[in-house]
Amino acid sequence: MSQTIVIIGAGPAGLLLAHYLVRRNDYRVEIYERRSDPRAANVSADRTFPISLQERGRKAIRAIAGLEDAIAAQSTMCQGTVVYRTHRKPRRLSRKTPVLSIDRNRLVTILLQQLTTPDVANRLNIHFNCTCLDIDGVAKTVTLQPDSGEPFTTHYDVLVGADGARSQVRDYLVNTHQLQCEQHYISDEYKSVLINRCNPELGLEVEPNKIHTWNLDNKTRMILVPQPGDRLSGTLIFNAQANPLESLSTKEEILAFFQTKFPIAGQLMTLDDADAILNRPIAKVLTVTCDRFHGNQILLLGDAAHAVSPSIGQGCNASLEDVLILNDLLDQYGDDWSQVLPAFSQQRIPDAHALQDLSTYSFPRTKALVIEFFLRLTLTRFLRRWFPNWVNPFVFDLVLETDLPYSQVLSLNRNWIDKVRRSQHTV
């Protein structure tokens, strides 16, 4: 007899889990998402952002036949990073393993398109514009509110909270199952930035296969990632107490700011781009640390379990890796969720906690440590050419180039992480 798995949240983690489950043929999957269907043409791009899929995320996707190819077809392949510096030539950092860069909404759309095929129609239902109102863990029911119509209740055998950093499923476990959870807003906020990669009138274009970054000061930086159609998508990141755009009230002032502070980006920006930035909301990042990821037949995945700072681009990769690990445990325990759920928490908690430290403290803010960071990275790469068995990669290369567990990455780089932590606490 098949089990019903109810997934709250149709983001990358929830949708990839559905891909895995419908292929196991033992489950009926129901997905409920409070947002609109991203396949609809009118979905707003104001809060979307680029995702860089590295080996750990791509490995999870690769297990579903044809999925990585479908994503790659609508992605850009980034082979390194260009770091722009004031009054100096840009610094170029190569990547041994290219990353797939894709807009978050586009990734979700592809996951949906590849998931909703006729052969799984009788085992899969997806409901958008549907908010979780209440969970009854004893009766194993969820009450949901569609945007139009009356609330309704559905039964589950296993409930999966893949509903993001502000997870309602996690709140239920906190309130009823003594799950311990710490939540913090990081000191940074951001606005999405979308501009053209080329300006033919000026004969200007930036490289289509590189991530482009600027570090204006210790409090303001920008990351732009190439997207299909010669567009750059990214974020302007700034300290919540020092928003550099706060005093700017017109699109002309926004454009002048970027032309002065980020000259290359400013020359690629139009007044329409500047107007869009002016009117976009400011986004805050909430981090989440839990002492476990499960309750009575309930599981947390992705940001609902371990939302982190986006500083090293691991949020989505870690979420997708969650699904791969969960699938391996289903294989190991013969789909016995009573064993799978505690085993998932036991295996994943050390890595999730390590990822918090790595995301917060891998990249420094002070000028002296930024210089030291690049010196360490360059020296380590050089020495590894000659002594690959004696010299470990530096923290960024371990995170971005490998699928080594985060806890091991942290252990190998503990001295550096502690050094950056001390510097941030004294700034």
Side-chain angles (χ1 to χ4, degrees), residues 28 46 80 126 175 186 189 205 277 313 329 392 417 419-420:
R28 178 176 177 81
D46 284 352
I126 305 178
N175 293 329
I186 67 172
E189 298 177 344
E205 66 176 280
I277 293 171
L329 291 171
N392 290 315
I417 295 299
K419 189 173 189 176
V420 176

Side-chain angles (χ1 to χ4, degrees), residues 6 8 31-36 127-135 141-154 168:
V6 171
I8 307 298
I31 304 176
Y32 297 92
E33 167 60 53
R34 64 179 178 82
R35 296 185 180 91
S36 301
H127 306 265
F128 292 96
N129 301 306
C130 205
T131 301
C132 174
L133 290 181
D134 187 51
I135 299 168
T141 60
V142 181
T143 302
L144 301 124
Q145 173 66 66
D147 279 2
S148 58
E150 296 297 319
F152 64 94
T153 298
T154 188
Q168 292 165 292

Side-chain angles (χ1 to χ4, degrees), residues 16-17 20 24 56 59-61 63 293 299 301 306 317-333 337 340-341 343-349 351-352 403-406:
L16 184 64
L17 176 60
Y20 277 89
R24 299 185 75 87
R56 66 184 75 239
K59 185 177 179 180
I61 289 169
F293 298 151
L299 175 69
L301 280 182
H306 48 68
N317 286 279
S319 298
L320 299 177
E321 189 178 50
D322 282 350
V323 179
L324 180 62
I325 290 170
L326 177 63
N327 189 68
D328 289 342
L329 291 171
L330 287 169
D331 287 339
Q332 180 178 341
Y333 291 105
W337 289 84
V340 168
L341 297 182
F344 180 83
S345 284
Q346 183 178 18
Q347 179 171 340
R348 203 58 175 146
I349 283 291
D351 289 328
D403 61 352
L404 190 71
Y406 294 118

Side-chain angles (χ1 to χ4, degrees), residues 201-215:
E201 293 182 2
L202 297 179
L204 175 67
E205 66 176 280
V206 297
E207 294 170 77
N209 61 346
K210 298 287 193 300
I211 296 171
H212 302 271
T213 71
W214 293 258
N215 192 29

